[in-house]
Amino acid sequence: AIATTDRHGNDVALVVARVAYRVDPEGRVTVTQRPVRWADIYDAEQGIEFPSDLATEKPGTDVGLVGVAHPPRNKEVTSQLAWLSMGPLKKVIKLWGERSFGVKWGKVEPSEPAALGPTRLTYARCHGGTEPPDADAGGARFPSDEPDNPIGRGHHTDPVRLIGQPAPTLEPVHD
């Protein structure tokens, strides 16, 4: 426990209880001990790989997923579904093999996916991103970003500029 203040300036005692589960590629689950993270840990793709465990206000329990999805063994696939469920909560995503943006029937869209390999489950592989200022316009056009995921792939106000760029490999599946 540590003494700190909340966003309103009130003194609070912060107590962190942490439980972590490890699931191997065969689906075996083990409980693991991990130290409390005092700050965010960033990954090579500029995303948060491990968030800090500290927060002075949380209305409920956080469920965080850090992992790698593996394709079926002995079978080549270009996409598959993966999910996390806890109690009534279930989130499903579709994983794609690497792909890039190209033009098909006059429309900019992702290419056919390559064979799916082990895939890190990270925001940098989802739709999003930050569009840089337009150098051709002397920087006159302001940059744009996807506010829900500024580190992702595939966001641009001019889709033609996406051609040749990596496309998202993780997409949400909606009911």
Side-chain angles (χ1 to χ4, degrees):
I2 61 170
T4 187
T5 56
D6 66 12
R7 66 185 170 108
H8 305 289
N10 299 316
D11 292 330
V12 295
L14 180 61
V15 178
V16 177
R18 187 157 186 235
V19 176
Y21 299 93
R22 181 173 183 84
V23 182
D24 69 18
E26 284 76 37
R28 293 184 295 261
V29 178
T30 55
V31 177
T32 63
Q33 296 292 326
R34 297 283 188 237
V36 172
R37 285 189 208 97
W38 300 98
D40 294 339
I41 298 172
Y42 293 88
D43 64 17
E45 297 173 309
Q46 301 173 348
I48 296 174
E49 183 167 9
F50 300 104
S52 167
D53 293 317
L54 306 180
T56 57
E57 295 180 36
K58 287 191 180 186
T61 302
D62 285 342
V63 176
L65 172 66
V66 176
V68 176
H70 294 267
R73 291 181 184 211
N74 304 318
K75 182 179 179 185
E76 186 173 297
V77 297
T78 58
S79 67
Q80 73 178 34
L81 297 178
W83 59 91
L84 172 68
S85 62
M86 295 190 88
L89 172 71
K90 184 173 184 179
K91 298 293 181 178
V92 182
I93 59 171
K94 186 165 188 174
L95 294 88
W96 296 95
E98 288 296 332
R99 53 195 188 154
S100 60
F101 285 101
V103 178
K104 185 175 182 180
W105 299 98
K107 183 178 177 188
V108 176
E109 59 183 48
S111 65
E112 292 297 318
L116 185 63
T119 304
R120 289 189 62 233
L121 303 174
T122 168
Y123 282 108
R125 297 184 159 276
C126 300
H127 174 77
T130 300
E131 173 185 354
D134 189 347
D136 295 336
R141 193 184 51 162
F142 291 102
S144 168
D145 70 358
E146 177 61 48
D148 291 333
N149 185 15
I151 65 168
R153 303 173 171 185
H155 170 77
H156 208 294
T157 55
D158 181 3
V160 171
R161 295 195 179 240
L162 291 172
I163 296 171
Q165 298 297 313
T169 56
L170 302 177
E171 295 179 348
V173 174
H174 303 286
D175 295 335

